[in-house]
């Protein structure tokens, strides 16, 4: 692809200078440079190929400009920069922009032939509920016969292909490549999670979402290398609504007005209050052996009866959000109702059948806000005991450990403190911090550092009517220790424990 066709994607959006040897080119020299044939694009200097284009990305821990020499030595013809580079080879074409991340998003879209134009794109942002909502949308649309791709925290799905995710929202090069693969595979609709970091770092620039979604917001991701304040966090979330045609937002969230401030899309609302465009009423808890759920009726833009196999009011919000999105496609009431009855999301209040005597759930809640929301919801089902098993990640804020210990001690009848991903910390040190928080309450607890043994203890000591929550790992199928990831899937662990116990009884 010619360089001129790549940079044309930024026309009117950002100033672009074409340079050589530090000098801005114009006239015939500029035209000649723009005629350069680019063979590949990358932001990884180790993956540069001859006649390639290399993006110098300024990261939290390193600056891609420092590796421009390595990219040039590997044969790069073009290097995209946002500040000067010492001793850049004289024959290298430099494309200077104000923000290389922003440029990378647009250049990537052009490189892959603007694939988002061949898809209907749905972006979901919010503190909680992104993953579940994307799967609900996918399930409903597929029930209506649509071909749907998904990009999110757990995985990317393209037809029968499932690719584990490294980030909630991938870098723009990967995102545009994924869109191209989806379009070429006949996918009609792409639904994806859009994190605040992705919006802040322009990963989802370069195209316009057909529908942007806001689930909710609460203080999170605030700190070094994330967001400086809650206000910045909200502002980043709000960027989605200046990059979509239709915005579907939680009308009950107290921060919605701040999040959508300055929006350029048309807005629709969902929630539990009747002033929303789509709202729920007649909520009723469902509690059957081994599974929890909730039912409700919808009013406003659609009238139907919904039952979802996950508990709590936040499940209603997630379902309402998915319904509101799917009403923009050719989906019947019956297809929506049937899809909602069946859908389960891995690691999101996921029931695992162990016994008819008690309920076991796996959930990704790995901070105090998420854990408190989950346990408060489960309290509404009046369990005989609410038992929580969790640990905390190493090399992360110690404050999270104190807070989670206190939350579990206050809301659980019994807590089993164990390991999560200790990383480079000692598991017993992390557990000691959790116990510090726990001791601020009267909560009963036991510490079992080995997570497998902790799960076995929970199952072996389950009582009739208990709800047992395995919190923190969710969809993860590994445990990270000293820089290495070891296989550890809680579903597999449970199956092995039950198989062993069945063998012993036999």
């Amino acid at each position: 692809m010619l360089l001129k066709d790549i940079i044309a994607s930024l026309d009117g959006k950002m100033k672009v200078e074409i340079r050589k040897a530090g000098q801005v080119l114009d006239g015939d020299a500029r035209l000649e440079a723009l005629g350069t044939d680019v063979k590949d694009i990358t932001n990884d200097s180790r993956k540069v190929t001859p006649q390639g284009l290399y993006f110098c990305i300024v990261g939290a821990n390193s600056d891609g400009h420092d590796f421009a020499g390595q990219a040039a030595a590997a044969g790069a013809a073009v290097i995209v920069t946002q500040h000067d580079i010492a001793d850049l080879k004289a024959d290298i074409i430099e494309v200077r922009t104000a923000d290389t991340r922003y440029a990378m998003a647009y250049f990537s879209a052009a490189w892959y032939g603007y694939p988002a134009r061949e898809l209907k794109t749905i972006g979901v942002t919010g503190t909680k509920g992104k993953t579940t909502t994307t799967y609900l949308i996918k399930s409903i649309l597929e029930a209506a016969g649509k071909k749907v791709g998904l990009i999110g925290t757990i995985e990317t799905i393209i037809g029968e292909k499932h690719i584990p995710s490294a980030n909630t929202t991938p870098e723009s090069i990967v995102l545009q490549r994924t869109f191209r693969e989806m379009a070429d595979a006949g996918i009609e609709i792409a639904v994806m999670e859009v994190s605040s970091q992705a919006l802040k770092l322009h990963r989802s620039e370069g195209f316009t979402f057909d529908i942007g979604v806001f689930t909710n917001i609460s203080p999170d991701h605030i700190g070094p290398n994330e967001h400086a304040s809650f206000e910045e966090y909200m502002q980043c979330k709000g960027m989605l609504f200046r990059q979509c045609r239709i915005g579907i937002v939680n009308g009950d969230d107290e921060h919605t007005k701040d999040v959508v401030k300055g929006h350029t899309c048309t807005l629709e609302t969902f929630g539990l209050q009747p002033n929303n465009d789509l709202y729920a009423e007649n909520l009723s808890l469902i509690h059957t052996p081994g599974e929890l759920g909730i039912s409700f009726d919808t009013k406003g833009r659609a009238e139907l009866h919904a039952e979802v196999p996950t508990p709590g009011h936040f499940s209603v919000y997630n379902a309402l959000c998915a319904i509101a999105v799917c009403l923009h496609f050719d989906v019947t009431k019956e297809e929506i109702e049937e899809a909602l009855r069946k859908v389960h999301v891995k690691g999101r209040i996921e029931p695992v059948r162990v016994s008819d005597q008690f309920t076991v759930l796996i959930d990704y809640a790995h901070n105090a806000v998420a854990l408190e929301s989950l346990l408060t919801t489960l309290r509404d089902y009046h369990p005989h005991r609410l038992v929580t098993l969790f640990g905390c990640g190493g090399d992360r804020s110690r404050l999270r450990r104190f807070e989670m210990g206190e939350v579990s001690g206050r809301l659980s009848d019994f807590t089993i403190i164990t390991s999560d991903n200790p990383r480079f910390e000692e598991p017993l040190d992390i557990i000691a911090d959790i116990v510090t928080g726990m001791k601020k309450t009267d909560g009963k607890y036991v510490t079992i550092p080995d997570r497998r043994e902790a799960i076995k203890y929970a199952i072996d000591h389950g009582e009739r009517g208990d709800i047992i929550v395995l919190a923190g790992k969710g969809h993860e199928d590994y445990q990270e220790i000293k820089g290495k990831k070891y296989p550890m899937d809680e579903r597999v662990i449970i199956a092995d424990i039950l198989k062993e116990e069945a063998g012993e009884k036999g």
Side-chain angles (χ1 to χ4, degrees), residues 86-105:
D87 303 322
L88 190 63
K89 287 172 61 176
D91 62 336
I92 294 288
I93 297 169
E94 180 186 355
V95 177
R96 175 64 62 88
T97 67
D99 188 326
T100 52
R101 281 191 179 276
Y102 189 88
M104 182 167 69

Side-chain angles (χ1 to χ4, degrees), residues 328-347:
H328 286 272
F329 300 87
D330 187 20
V331 180
T332 68
K333 179 179 79 170
E334 291 75 21
E335 288 165 342
I336 292 173
E337 292 174 345
E338 181 68 14
L340 289 177
R341 274 195 294 270
K342 293 180 177 179
V343 68
H344 279 296
V345 181
K346 185 177 182 181

Side-chain angles (χ1 to χ4, degrees), residues 89-145:
K89 287 172 61 176
D91 62 336
I92 294 288
I93 297 169
E94 180 186 355
V95 177
R96 175 64 62 88
T97 67
D99 188 326
T100 52
R101 281 191 179 276
Y102 189 88
M104 182 167 69
Y106 280 89
F107 289 2
S108 298
W111 177 259
Y112 287 104
Y114 301 100
R117 297 175 183 176
E118 301 170 39
L119 303 162
K120 291 292 185 182
T121 51
I122 303 164
V124 182
T125 198
T127 302
K128 295 179 291 187
K130 295 188 298 294
T131 300
T132 299
T133 300
T134 56
Y135 277 89
L136 289 172
I137 293 169
K138 182 176 186 291
S139 296
I140 294 170
L141 292 175
E142 287 181 335

Side-chain angles (χ1 to χ4, degrees), residues 6-25:
I6 296 174
I7 70 169
S9 61
L10 268 182
D11 283 353
K13 298 178 180 68
M14 180 177 286
K15 182 181 178 182
V16 177
E17 292 180 347
I18 307 300
R19 300 181 173 198
K20 261 191 178 182
Q23 301 298 311
V24 178
L25 303 181

Side-chain angles (χ1 to χ4, degrees), residues 378-395:
L378 297 178
R379 275 275 166 221
D380 291 340
Y381 287 80
H382 304 293
H384 167 61
R385 293 187 310 163
L386 181 54
V387 178
T388 304
L389 179 152
F390 79 99
C392 286
D395 303 328

Side-chain angles (χ1 to χ4, degrees), residues 143 147 215 291 431:
K147 293 183 178 180
T215 60
E291 192 164 295
I431 288 172

Side-chain angles (χ1 to χ4, degrees), residues 65-94:
H65 294 76
D66 296 338
F67 303 96
Q70 181 178 331
V78 181
I79 293 181
V80 183
T81 67
Q82 68 184 52
H83 64 68
D84 290 339
I85 297 173
D87 303 322
L88 190 63
K89 287 172 61 176
D91 62 336
I92 294 288
I93 297 169
E94 180 186 355

